[in-house]
Amino acid sequence: YPFEHDSIINGVATKGETLKNMAPKSKTGNAGDVAVANFMMITDTPPIKNAPSETRITAVPVASERKVVINLSQAEVNARDIEGTTLNITLAEIHDLHGNTSNPIKWTAYVQQNTLKWAKDSVNIYKSYGADYTFDVDIVNMSGLVEYYTVANMPDWLTLVGSATSDDVQPLKTKTLRFTVNPLVPVDDYDVTIGLQGNNEILEPLRIVMKVRGETPNWTVDPTLYDHSMTIIGQVYLGGILMENNESLVAAFIGGECRGVAAPEKIRSAAFVTLPIYGTDDETHDAGKPISFRIWDASRGVAYTDAQIAVGANKDTLLHFHDGEMVGNFDYPAIWTKSDKVEQLISVHENWNWITFGVEPETQYCDILFKDYSGWGILLKDTASYIQSNGSQWKGGNNPLVPAVNAMYKMKITRTPATQTASLQTQMSIRGRQLPLSEMPVTVAPGWNWMAYTPLTTKRIEPALAGLQPKAGDIIKSQTAVSIYSYRGWEGTLTALEPGHGYLYFSADSTTKSFRYPDDLYTPRGTMSAPMRAVNYQQSALSWFTPVDKHLYQSNMTMTIRVVDGEAVVDTCEIAAFVGDECRGAVRADDEGLYYLVITGEGAGHAMEIKTVLNGEIVTIDNTLTFTSDNHIGTPWEPYIIQLNPAEGIEEITDDKSQITNTRKIIRDGILYILRNGK
């Protein structure tokens, strides 16, 4: 090796390499790219790890006969400071009665005084984005006393179900805590530690390691269809960071068709991608045709198109298919880097969808943009124009809608005679350039607005809309949830904004405002782009009512309801809105006893009933309202009040025995209610 630096090793002047010049050397020359190492050198370097940190404690011992007592409290050390640590103890200069000094004695002791413990040290979670996830962890009281505990350092995306964060555990008993993860926690890797603190105020750690993953692109190839292949050995760098996640992918395409896909693998203590590319090596098929690449970053849930590849000194190489060709090796790999073009996957369903394009579409022609939905009926509209397809032709009048980034659309997908038995592709692929969020301001006028959400990661509603400076009375809603801004911030069931979705926003301000979403796609690993407030699952779990599919209707109205029984607030009901026989929305109460009800539909003037369940029977508790699109009734500080009246419902007595029995029961319950409440 080129030993260029003087070193002092064991007091001897020596020529040797320092840690600095043992670092990997760049082979790409690209600014920001992490250098690629000669791994023959790395295998000869010594393994290095951080030395444990030590704190010196000086304490004066007390000796008696054959015992020595060391009181650490004199050294201002309490039980919390040393719990779970190893004490390296040295006892020296102990005098006997004759003044003789003892030789130093050394020993170690591991400190474990806490009697309130987690039953396990860690929890590993792997979940899909949008999926519910719960897990149980036991806490054990090993003492003979009641332990009063507190669960501390809970991240915003985690909450307890059926238990309080502060409670007690009886002596020598075990208690099970159930945790739930917010389904909208962004795609990323998480590593957090929560604590359990008991009577002695020692914090017992529980490590939670979680991976949240989005839906993987459908990049597949059947090698048996081709009789030739070539191979690329390389590495992938995203923002100058080596892509090591073995769930990530690199795919090769010829003429828009996937011809090869591979994931990073650990080789020589680094991540390499060995990518086979299949084809038919003759001039009428694939020979000499250009190859394009796409990268799927599983840890972020983002797919990059038109990825660049560097081979040797060439910073941007255009590769063509040639049978048997080998590009790159493990000593000098090819280097893939991402471009500014992204493939955005938007979840869609039959009927109505509220969508936003977070990338600038490669084409404005709908027959090309929605080619995966050829044969389906599609209506795409904004507040001023529309365009629609009958499955084969697109029309939009004299001023047809032109799909663009940073705009919210309502999109209806319907079956045609050609697609009666077809399966709908639920992931709409939109490819295009990813613009900086600073170049996509969002304008909000007084009243209702169709609001686009352009970031490619989920964000909690508070930081996402911080730049808007909302006022009390502002409302934001999706197809299924709503939140209202009050003096305490955003309150309601809509807690986060999701990529690919569109929202309706009501501004209570009298002036037009403009803001930009925060740009934090690449945050340091282990941090969240948006901490999530966990969903109250007691609220969201419905057992009596089943609302219609939210995609059946293009609009909705919202209500903030408080249910009372006399003067008592009722927060245990499940309430629903019906138009005719259809349940258009249902909800349970939040932690403050408010019901944030989203009612799907369209048009105005439709009679509506609010129903709940009393004594195991579904009853109507309000029939005075009508459905009106985008109407909102009630606020968190002035909710719409519904008074439960057990005596209500005595309308007509017939000869039907069951009706008479039910009526008698209602009267009896009403009398008991009057006697109990004095009314």
Side-chain angles (χ1 to χ4, degrees):
Y1 306 122
F3 301 110
E4 300 175 352
H5 297 271
D6 292 331
S7 301
I8 302 298
I9 301 178
N10 295 330
V12 180
T14 308
K15 293 285 186 178
E17 288 213 342
T18 65
L19 287 176
K20 180 178 179 181
N21 47 54
M22 286 167 62
K25 310 298 189 297
S26 173
K27 291 187 177 180
T28 66
N30 293 340
D33 282 355
V34 172
V36 182
N38 183 328
F39 292 94
M40 293 300 292
M41 179 186 297
I42 286 185
T43 58
D44 292 336
T45 59
I48 298 175
K49 65 179 181 180
N50 292 329
S53 60
E54 294 185 350
T55 301
R56 185 179 181 86
I57 302 172
T58 302
V60 179
V62 177
S64 174
E65 296 296 334
R66 294 179 175 274
K67 296 181 181 180
V68 176
V69 177
I70 304 172
N71 190 348
L72 294 181
S73 62
Q74 296 177 353
E76 298 183 353
V77 176
N78 57 42
R80 287 175 293 175
D81 297 328
I82 61 175
E83 179 72 15
T85 66
T86 298
L87 298 180
N88 299 311
I89 305 168
T90 301
L91 194 64
E93 299 183 15
I94 303 299
H95 298 270
D96 62 13
L97 292 176
H98 303 287
N100 299 313
T101 303
S102 67
N103 292 325
I105 302 174
K106 297 183 179 182
W107 73 96
T108 62
Y110 180 76
V111 183
Q112 185 173 343
Q113 303 178 89
N114 199 15
T115 56
L116 185 65
K117 296 283 188 181
W118 296 104
K120 59 177 68 174
D121 296 326
S122 62
V123 176
N124 292 297
I125 300 171
Y126 187 97
K127 69 178 291 290
S128 299
Y129 174 79
D132 297 335
Y133 193 95
T134 60
F135 62 93
D136 295 339
V137 183
D138 290 341
I139 56 176
V140 183
N141 180 5
M142 297 179 291
S143 74
L145 301 174
V146 176
E147 284 276 1
Y148 296 93
Y149 71 86
T150 298
V151 181
N153 302 330
M154 291 264 288
D156 290 336
W157 43 263
L158 188 67
T159 190
L160 279 168
V161 179
S163 300
T165 56
S166 296
D167 207 339
D168 62 72
V169 187
Q170 295 302 309
L172 302 176
K173 295 293 184 179
T174 297
K175 184 171 185 176
T176 300
L177 299 183
R178 172 158 291 182
F179 296 86
T180 186
V181 178
N182 191 316
L184 300 183
V185 62
V187 173
D188 209 337
D189 296 333
Y190 300 91
D191 191 340
V192 300
T193 300
I194 66 175
L196 178 68
Q197 185 170 287
N199 294 346
N200 57 12
E201 298 184 350
I202 294 176
L203 207 62
E204 282 292 324
L206 175 67
R207 185 183 180 190
I208 301 175
V209 179
M210 181 173 69
K211 289 185 177 182
V212 182
R213 294 294 179 257
E215 187 167 345
T216 304
N218 187 25
W219 298 340
T220 58
V221 59
D222 184 358
T224 63
L225 298 177
Y226 307 97
D227 57 351
H228 298 89
S229 67
M230 61 180 288
T231 304
I232 301 175
I233 297 177
Q235 294 179 303
V236 182
Y237 289 94
L238 301 177
I241 301 174
L242 178 65
M243 187 174 77
E244 300 180 284
N245 191 327
N246 59 9
E247 299 166 300
S248 299
L249 298 172
V250 178
F253 291 79
I254 298 178
E257 183 180 0
C258 183
R259 295 298 184 84
V261 60
E265 295 181 357
K266 283 286 186 181
I267 300 174
R268 297 184 182 181
S269 301
F272 287 87
V273 175
T274 303
L275 177 63
I277 304 174
Y278 303 96
T280 302
D281 194 30
D282 60 61
E283 294 182 356
T284 60
H285 291 87
D286 304 319
K289 289 189 176 181
I291 305 172
S292 62
F293 300 95
R294 301 178 191 174
I295 300 171
W296 166 249
D297 181 6
S299 64
R300 298 287 183 179
V302 178
Y304 299 97
T305 64
D306 296 341
Q308 299 173 341
I309 185 170
V311 180
N314 298 323
K315 295 183 178 181
D316 189 5
T317 306
L318 181 62
L319 294 182
H320 299 79
F321 183 82
H322 297 291
D323 179 39
E325 185 174 353
M326 174 71 73
V327 179
N329 55 58
F330 296 114
D331 291 324
Y332 298 95
I335 302 296
W336 282 285
T337 54
K338 70 180 183 71
S339 68
D340 62 352
K341 294 185 178 180
V342 172
E343 179 181 20
Q344 183 182 22
L345 300 177
I346 302 175
S347 296
V348 294
H349 303 266
E350 283 191 57
N351 298 306
W352 287 102
N353 304 267
W354 295 7
I355 65 172
T356 294
F357 300 145
V359 299
E360 190 175 54
E362 291 179 325
T363 177
Q364 295 180 337
Y365 296 101
C366 289
D367 56 340
I368 301 175
L369 186 64
F370 302 112
K371 63 181 180 180
D372 294 337
Y373 298 87
S374 177
W376 291 83
I378 295 180
L379 170 62
L380 188 70
K381 69 176 185 177
D382 59 16
T383 57
S385 57
Y386 75 94
I387 191 168
Q388 63 184 133
S389 168
N390 61 1
S392 59
Q393 292 181 314
W394 286 87
K395 293 185 178 181
N398 296 327
N399 185 29
L401 182 147
V402 178
V405 68
N406 199 24
M408 183 264 195
Y409 302 105
K410 291 185 178 181
M411 178 181 187
K412 187 176 185 181
I413 304 176
T414 55
R415 294 183 179 272
T416 65
T419 56
Q420 285 301 312
T421 60
S423 297
L424 179 70
Q425 185 169 319
T426 59
Q427 291 290 319
M428 177 185 293
S429 173
I430 304 295
R431 292 189 291 272
R433 188 166 65 95
Q434 183 184 13
L435 299 177
L437 294 176
S438 59
E439 297 181 12
M440 293 186 288
V442 179
T443 300
V444 174
W448 283 104
N449 300 263
W450 289 30
M451 176 181 284
Y453 179 71
T454 51
L456 300 183
T457 55
T458 300
K459 297 183 189 296
R460 186 163 51 92
I461 188 173
E462 287 86 350
L465 301 179
L468 181 56
Q469 297 181 344
K471 294 185 62 176
D474 282 13
I475 303 170
I476 185 170
K477 64 179 182 177
S478 65
Q479 286 182 272
T480 57
V482 61
S483 281
I484 306 165
Y485 193 78
S486 71
Y487 65 94
R488 297 196 302 180
W490 288 103
E491 298 178 295
T493 53
L494 182 62
T495 60
L497 306 185
E498 298 182 78
H501 288 226
Y503 300 87
L504 292 186
Y505 191 94
F506 178 83
S507 175
D509 207 331
S510 58
T511 60
T512 298
K513 298 183 290 187
S514 181
F515 77 104
R516 293 171 175 81
Y517 294 110
D519 191 353
D520 52 7
L521 179 59
Y522 270 94
T523 53
R525 182 61 67 208
T527 62
M528 290 185 62
S529 63
M532 302 296 301
R533 181 172 60 223
V535 174
N536 183 336
Y537 275 80
Q538 183 180 0
Q539 164 195 319
S540 55
L542 298 174
S543 55
W544 283 92
F545 298 106
T546 303
V548 298
D549 186 349
K550 65 179 181 181
H551 303 96
L552 284 176
Y553 299 97
Q554 64 169 311
S555 301
N556 58 39
M557 68 173 284
T558 52
M559 296 182 67
T560 304
I561 300 171
R562 171 158 282 149
V563 179
V564 295
D565 184 356
E567 297 181 357
V569 174
V570 179
D571 59 3
T572 57
C573 286
E574 186 173 310
I575 64 173
F578 279 77
V579 176
D581 295 330
E582 281 189 332
C583 178
R584 297 289 185 85
V587 72
R588 294 184 68 90
D590 70 356
D591 294 335
E592 297 183 354
L594 292 175
Y595 299 82
Y596 292 90
L597 183 60
V598 178
I599 308 161
T600 61
E602 54 188 62
H606 305 291
M608 186 169 65
E609 292 183 329
I610 307 297
K611 298 185 178 184
T612 191
V613 178
L614 293 177
N615 299 319
E617 298 179 3
I618 297 177
V619 297
T620 299
I621 55 176
D622 191 298
N623 59 4
T624 63
L625 304 173
T626 58
F627 177 89
T628 302
S629 293
D630 295 333
N631 188 24
H632 180 78
I633 300 174
T635 63
W637 52 93
E638 292 184 0
Y640 182 78
I641 303 296
I642 297 180
Q643 178 73 246
L644 293 181
N645 185 357
E648 186 178 6
I650 305 175
E651 298 177 354
E652 181 180 355
I653 297 179
T654 67
D655 292 335
D656 184 86
K657 292 184 179 180
S658 62
Q659 171 113 9
I660 295 173
T661 301
N662 289 336
T663 303
R664 287 173 177 170
K665 182 178 184 300
I666 292 172
I667 294 173
R668 184 183 70 248
D669 290 344
I671 293 172
L672 291 175
Y673 174 85
I674 294 171
L675 293 175
R676 185 171 59 249
N677 293 274
K679 297 181 181 179

